Amino acid sequence: MVTVNSIEELFEVTKLFNGSVGFVPTMGALHEGHLSLIQQARRENDFVVVSIFVNPTQFLEGEDLEAYPKKEKADAKICELAGVDILFIPTIEMMYERDELKITAPSIRGFILEGTKRPGHFDGMLQVVMKLLNLIAYNKPKSFRAYFGKKDAQQLVLITQMVKNYFINVEIIPCPIIRDSDGLALSSRNIYLSKEERVKALALSRSLKRASELVMQKEFDVSTIQKEMLKVLIEIEVEYVALVNHQFQALKYIELNNTIILVAGRVGRTRLIDNLWI
Ligand code: AMP
């Protein structure tokens, strides 16, 4: 594995790619969720690139940019063991200049749910993903795939739309959500949770399990499912419980194979999101 800290060096090494390229962008503090994306990229491509970049433009005032967990040594080890070819770790200065061209998330899909709770977050996220895709594919690989977790469902849908709207030559691969054995979706932010908070946080995945039970019993009414989920979430400061189709349009009734059930809330000071695709 080669660790690359400059754009010039990145272009030098990606010149040597003579096959398909799989790319996994991350913000580091890697866990099994990231690892599953990397492993899938490894299985499906000749070359695998992972980036670690805590992107300042997607953090809002008062969010955890400064405190975001950093584990560069452990991350490098995980990548090496997983067979990553290039670990790209740029600096903020390399990625941004002062007066930047901006990308704005679409006005409906980008402004509901996470878009409302974190205004500007998706603009910054799309901006950095566009940069990273262009950087990794700069030398025009034979084929180019980028791997994103369904854990960040709205992010995944918006990136897919950006690629379509801007005709970017990349295949976006959605990857399943990886959970701890108790059901908690893995997240770099889980380390902020105290023992008691971690137990409370399990209500998020339990509420989704409750929703899937209801759907299996043929309860398709969205407001009934939301009410039942909120009962499970009683100890959580819920931000939203939403049921949308795969285009992020609100639903009145569940559409099988075209529904995402999303939940977001705070446990103590930690904001958590989870979802289920049915
Ligand atoms: P992050 O480092 O949080 O920006 O995440 C990098 C990528 O890993 C994103 O595509 C996330 O959706 C994905 N990811 C994070 N947590 C999980 C998880 N528990 N299961 C699957 N993918 C995940």
Side-chain angles (χ1 to χ4, degrees):
M1 184 177 81
V2 186
T3 301
V4 170
N5 297 106
S6 80
I7 288 174
E8 295 71 28
E9 208 187 332
L10 179 76
F11 289 168
E12 282 306 310
V13 287
T14 54
K15 244 190 227 164
L16 308 174
F17 286 171
N18 54 357
S20 60
V21 175
F23 172 47
V24 182
T26 80
M27 297 205 297
L30 302 183
H31 51 62
E32 295 282 333
H34 300 110
L35 184 59
S36 73
L37 269 57
I38 296 170
Q39 287 168 335
Q40 189 172 340
R42 183 67 286 169
R43 284 195 299 275
E44 295 175 357
N45 300 280
D46 299 316
F47 299 93
V48 174
V49 182
V50 172
S51 66
I52 297 179
F53 182 60
V54 182
N55 173 41
T57 67
Q58 71 189 66
F59 284 76
L60 309 185
E61 280 294 308
E63 287 191 342
D64 56 346
L65 173 62
E66 302 303 330
Y68 197 83
K70 286 188 186 56
K71 296 187 174 175
E72 264 191 30
K73 263 199 178 150
D75 289 348
K77 196 87 220 149
I78 289 169
C79 288
E80 188 159 21
L81 291 173
V84 170
D85 297 293
I86 293 179
L87 176 58
F88 177 50
I89 312 183
T91 61
I92 294 172
E93 292 69 33
M94 270 169 222
M95 294 294 279
Y96 289 104
E97 60 177 298
R98 248 162 194 264
D99 186 23
E100 281 263 338
L101 191 145
K102 300 276 193 310
I103 294 180
T104 311
S107 57
I108 301 171
R109 228 171 272 164
F111 281 82
I112 55 168
L113 306 176
E114 288 300 291
T116 313
K117 295 294 166 192
R118 304 180 72 192
H121 163 72
F122 284 135
D123 300 350
M125 179 281 292
L126 290 170
Q127 181 184 35
V128 80
V129 170
M130 168 86 100
K131 282 172 185 272
L132 288 166
L133 293 175
N134 287 336
L135 281 169
I136 307 305
Y138 186 80
N139 284 310
K140 299 193 172 53
K142 273 203 185 110
S143 79
F144 184 38
R145 302 187 181 94
Y147 295 77
F148 293 90
K150 287 179 167 180
K151 161 89 181 356
D152 300 283
Q154 200 170 356
Q155 163 174 297
L156 171 60
V157 169
L158 292 176
I159 290 168
T160 306
Q161 183 179 355
M162 176 176 76
V163 163
K164 180 166 168 257
N165 289 170
Y166 286 88
F167 307 102
I168 306 174
N169 191 9
V170 61
E171 188 184 350
I172 300 298
I173 312 284
C175 302
I177 300 175
I178 305 299
R179 300 173 179 282
D180 250 333
S181 54
D182 56 11
L184 186 70
L186 295 183
S187 162
S188 306
R189 291 190 167 103
N190 289 353
I191 60 161
Y192 298 148
L193 298 168
S194 69
K195 252 191 184 164
E196 297 73 36
E197 286 172 345
R198 207 185 171 291
V199 174
K200 271 192 187 172
L202 294 177
L204 263 71
S205 56
R206 255 192 288 123
S207 73
L208 294 169
K209 195 157 171 264
R210 176 76 188 117
S212 79
E213 283 164 9
L214 289 165
V215 173
M216 282 200 282
Q217 291 158 17
K218 301 220 162 29
E219 176 58 75
F220 291 160
D221 181 64
V222 162
S223 64
T224 308
I225 294 172
Q226 278 172 320
K227 274 185 210 136
E228 287 297 313
M229 287 178 70
L230 286 169
K231 285 186 197 163
V232 181
L233 292 162
I234 192 87
E235 286 194 60
I236 299 227
E237 198 187 314
V238 177
E239 288 189 352
Y240 60 76
V241 170
L243 288 90
V244 297
N245 66 17
H246 288 188
Q247 299 307 311
F248 266 77
Q249 290 154 335
L251 291 173
K252 271 187 128 167
Y253 298 99
I254 295 270
E255 291 175 10
L256 292 177
N257 298 319
N258 189 28
T259 300
I260 313 172
I261 308 178
L262 304 118
V263 53
R266 280 179 190 279
V267 183
R269 290 164 59 89
T270 310
R271 183 170 189 279
L272 297 172
I273 58 170
D274 200 351
N275 66 69
L276 178 71
W277 298 55
I278 51 173

